[in-house]
């Protein structure tokens, strides 16, 4: 739903990790019943210790504890079998498969997750412009190029870990890339524009610190690339 329904995605942006949700995300809230399993096991173990074997409740407590222990073991097995996040490996394979990114001496500097935004009206000033999220993207900054990928997040059942898959979107040489920040407004925050020779992308991070750090590193890499190019 998050990937296919913009209204639901916007709803999650508004309410995830707020006071109303006890600072939890939707995924974390969905995991709450699973986390309670361990609490139930501990509770039943304590009750069993204080319930004499001749008590009429002892049989029921033992049966319930046995069931929850099996269920806990089943969940732990699922966790062990969950696939680890192979983001960097998949990205490197994706880059190797792209002809214009297969040169040597390339070093990865930093990665950043962001939202790709689009404005329905490009003619009005930035301060009055509204934006909608198009997709999630991954920004991979190398010493000579910036790679943009379309990022799909696959959540692992019964766990907070997730797996991201990336599809190549675009690449821009740092020597032909310009960047500018978008002023924080009621319509958009933590946003910036990446301007290439043929097109531009409006991106936004979840937090201001993420944007500031990424843009600082990006500008430094651009300056280094321009110096080497000269």
């Amino acid at each position: 739903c998050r990937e296919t329904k913009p209204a639901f995605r916007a709803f999650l942006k508004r309410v995830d990790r707020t006071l109303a949700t006890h600072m939890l995300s939707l995924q974390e809230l969905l995991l709450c019943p699973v986390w309670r399993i361990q609490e139930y096991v501990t509770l039943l173990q304590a009750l069993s210790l204080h319930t004499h074997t001749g008590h009429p409740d002892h049989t029921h407590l033992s049966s319930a504890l046995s069931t929850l222990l099996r269920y806990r073991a089943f969940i732990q097995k699922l966790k062990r079998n969950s696939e680890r996040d192979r983001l960097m490996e998949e990205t490197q394979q994706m880059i190797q498969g792209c002809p214009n990114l297969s040169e040597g001496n390339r070093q990865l500097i930093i990665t950043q997750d962001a939202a790709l935004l689009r404005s329905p009206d490009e003619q009005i000033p930035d301060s009055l412009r509204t934006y909608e999220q198009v997709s999630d993207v991954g920004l991979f900054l190398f010493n000579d190029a910036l790679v943009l990928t379309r990022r799909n997040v696959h959540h692992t059942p019964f766990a907070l870990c997730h797996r991201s898959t990336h599809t190549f979107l675009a690449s821009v040489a740092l020597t032909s890339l310009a960047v500018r920040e978008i002023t924080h407004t009621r319509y958009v925050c933590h946003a910036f524009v990446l301007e290439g020779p043929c097109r531009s992308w409006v991106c936004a991070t979840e937090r201001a610190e993420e944007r500031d750090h990424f843009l600082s590193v990006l500008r430094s890499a651009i300056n280094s690339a321009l110096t080497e190019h000269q």
Side-chain angles (χ1 to χ4, degrees):
C1 287
R2 181 178 178 275
E3 295 294 330
T4 60
K5 298 183 183 296
F8 184 63
R9 185 164 57 234
F11 167 77
L12 291 181
K13 286 284 186 182
R14 292 196 306 271
V15 302
D16 261 8
R17 300 186 184 281
T18 60
L19 290 177
T21 62
H22 302 284
M23 305 308 293
L24 297 174
S25 67
L26 175 61
Q27 185 190 359
E28 291 168 336
L29 288 171
L30 291 173
L31 286 172
C32 284
V34 176
W35 292 338
R36 294 295 297 273
I37 295 300
Q38 179 56 50
E39 297 178 17
Y40 293 144
V41 168
T42 303
L43 175 63
L44 290 175
Q45 286 174 334
L47 288 174
S48 297
L49 287 175
H50 296 281
T51 303
H52 192 270
T53 54
H55 194 281
D57 289 341
H58 187 271
T59 302
H60 300 296
L61 281 173
S62 299
S63 175
L65 179 58
S66 177
T67 300
L68 283 173
L69 286 172
R70 288 198 303 271
Y71 187 56
R72 186 183 66 175
F74 171 71
I75 293 176
Q76 291 173 342
K77 181 180 179 181
L78 288 179
K79 289 182 179 180
R80 289 194 296 269
N81 293 337
S82 296
E83 183 179 358
R84 297 292 181 183
D85 187 350
R86 305 181 63 84
L87 174 122
M88 291 306 302
E89 180 180 347
E90 293 175 353
T91 303
Q92 290 298 333
Q93 291 175 352
M94 176 271 299
I95 292 173
Q96 291 172 4
C98 188
N100 63 335
L101 292 174
S102 58
E103 301 172 2
N105 301 322
R106 174 166 284 111
Q107 296 180 353
L108 179 65
I109 300 175
I110 190 175
T111 66
Q112 178 61 55
D113 294 337
L116 182 63
L117 307 179
R118 177 179 60 193
S119 175
D121 190 347
E122 302 288 345
Q123 304 303 317
I124 61 177
D126 285 350
S127 59
L128 301 175
R129 193 177 297 175
T130 59
Y131 295 88
E132 60 180 357
Q133 182 174 342
V134 179
S135 64
D136 292 319
V137 293
L139 305 175
F140 295 82
L141 176 60
F142 294 85
N143 57 321
D144 61 347
L146 178 68
V147 178
L148 292 87
T149 65
R150 192 177 303 277
R151 183 169 61 93
N152 295 306
V153 180
H154 307 276
H155 294 292
T156 303
F158 309 108
L160 286 175
C161 64
H162 62 271
R163 180 173 59 88
S164 297
T165 58
H166 294 258
T167 305
F168 178 79
L169 191 61
S171 65
V172 185
L174 295 185
T175 53
S176 58
L177 178 67
V179 58
R180 62 180 176 87
E181 299 177 24
I182 297 178
T183 304
H184 178 86
T185 69
R186 60 183 295 185
Y187 305 111
V188 67
C189 55
H190 320 321
F192 54 94
V193 182
L194 301 169
E195 297 179 332
C198 300
R199 62 161 299 181
S200 62
W201 301 266
V202 179
C203 302
T205 59
E206 288 191 1
R207 294 184 291 274
E209 314 87 74
E210 293 179 342
R211 182 191 70 169
D212 295 342
H213 178 62
F214 177 75
L215 293 186
S216 174
V217 177
L218 174 58
R219 287 179 172 129
S220 177
I222 291 175
N223 291 334
S224 298
L226 289 172
T227 301
E228 293 179 4
H229 185 70
Q230 292 174 354

